[in-house]
Amino acid sequence: MQENNFKLNPKSLKTAVTRVEKDKIVTRGYNQRDLIEKIRFSDMVFLILKGRVPSLKESKIFNYVLVSFCDHGVTPPSTQTARLITSSGSPINSAIAGALLSFGNKHAGAIEKAMELYQSKIDSIHLINDRGIDNKQIASLAIEIYNEYVVKGKKIPGFGHRYHDVDPRADKLMEIAVDNGYLGPHIKLALALQDLVYSKKHIKLNVDGANAAILSDLGFDPELGTGVFMIGRLPGLIAHSYEERMDEDEFRRFCDLDDVEYMG
Ligand SMILES: CC(C)(COP(=O)(O)OP(=O)(O)OC[C@H]1O[C@@H](n2cnc3c(N)ncnc32)[C@H](O)[C@@H]1OP(=O)(O)O)[C@@H](O)C(=O)NCCC(=O)NCCS
């Protein structure tokens, strides 16, 4: 009798993502035979995550988001982790798993926090007023965030960068948004906040902050923010792991004994 409790009930696996039948695979309602021929990869990512094909405008901007995450050289903790693990002779899946585990509040994790922040502020206005949000309301939300974070000595997720005064990716994404009129309420809020923070602290949006605003305007749940970051960054991590394996000595030294200060 005890054994029955551990039997897997086939109906307990529910999914709206993909239906697999004999000789047929249907993802989000589309036959994969058709998708292979007809859809671009970034649109496929949008479809599988959101359950619908993006509009032309959404398709363009979502592609910008994915491209902007592609790589940041050897500087991020995740890339260094991928190289370190590869160097030890471990397979690529271990290197990439380790790299992804190094995502945290400061690296990659800021995107979900920034999405939560923008969305909670915009939602609070929508709850009061169903007719949309005007620029005065956006400006007062930006001041609210400034007071909740900067005035209290807290860092706003999605702002600042260890290496850049102006993160070129965030700058370009916001330039595209302004030039093409992709100005939903979350992007408007991010830009108003940037104006305010820059005037006081000389700090601007980083790639996480800019993409948090864009993804929020595209209707993404914050829970998907890091996932989108991972999809964009994975090619870069794989390229670094591959380069490490091909071009560097196995088990190379990542620091010299002289680089270490012994405190004991
Ligand atoms: C990314 C980060 C760690 C870089 O930090 P850093 O270059 O070491 O910057 P510092 O911590 O030395 O900060 C320098 C000044 O800018 C301020 N500052 C930095 N990031 C800030 C932020 N996000 N919000 C408000 N103020 C910020 C600091 O308070 C400090 O001010 P002070 O000189 O008056 O004390 C930092 O900006 C941060 O924590 N940002 C939020 C997390 C994030 O978005 N991460 C994704 C990075 S792509």
Side-chain angles (χ1 to χ4, degrees), residues 72 104-111 114 146 149-150 153-164 167 169 197 200-209 229 233:
H72 197 266
N105 271 349
K106 299 286 174 187
H107 172 40
I111 186 167
Y146 185 86
Y149 283 82
V150 183
K154 283 164 63 184
K155 289 188 174 156
I156 310 172
F159 274 78
H161 202 281
R162 290 183 302 157
Y163 293 95
H164 307 294
D167 183 334
R169 301 159 298 179
V197 174
K200 312 266 188 197
K201 305 275 294 181
H202 261 72
I203 286 173
K204 288 194 142 194
L205 285 162
N206 58 42
V207 71
D208 290 12
F229 187 117
R233 182 55 58 89

Side-chain angles (χ1 to χ4, degrees), residues 15 42 66 68 90 93 194 254:
T15 177
S42 56
L66 290 180
S68 75
S90 296
N93 52 314
Q194 175 169 258
F254 277 81

Side-chain angles (χ1 to χ4, degrees), residues 64-110:
Y64 302 142
V65 169
L66 290 180
V67 172
S68 75
F69 279 133
C70 69
D71 192 40
H72 197 266
V74 293
T75 64
S78 54
T79 312
Q80 291 173 4
T81 307
R83 282 187 170 265
L84 201 63
I85 296 177
T86 304
S87 180
S88 76
S90 296
I92 191 163
N93 52 314
S94 304
I96 300 305
L100 297 180
L101 287 173
S102 77
F103 283 2
N105 271 349
K106 299 286 174 187
H107 172 40

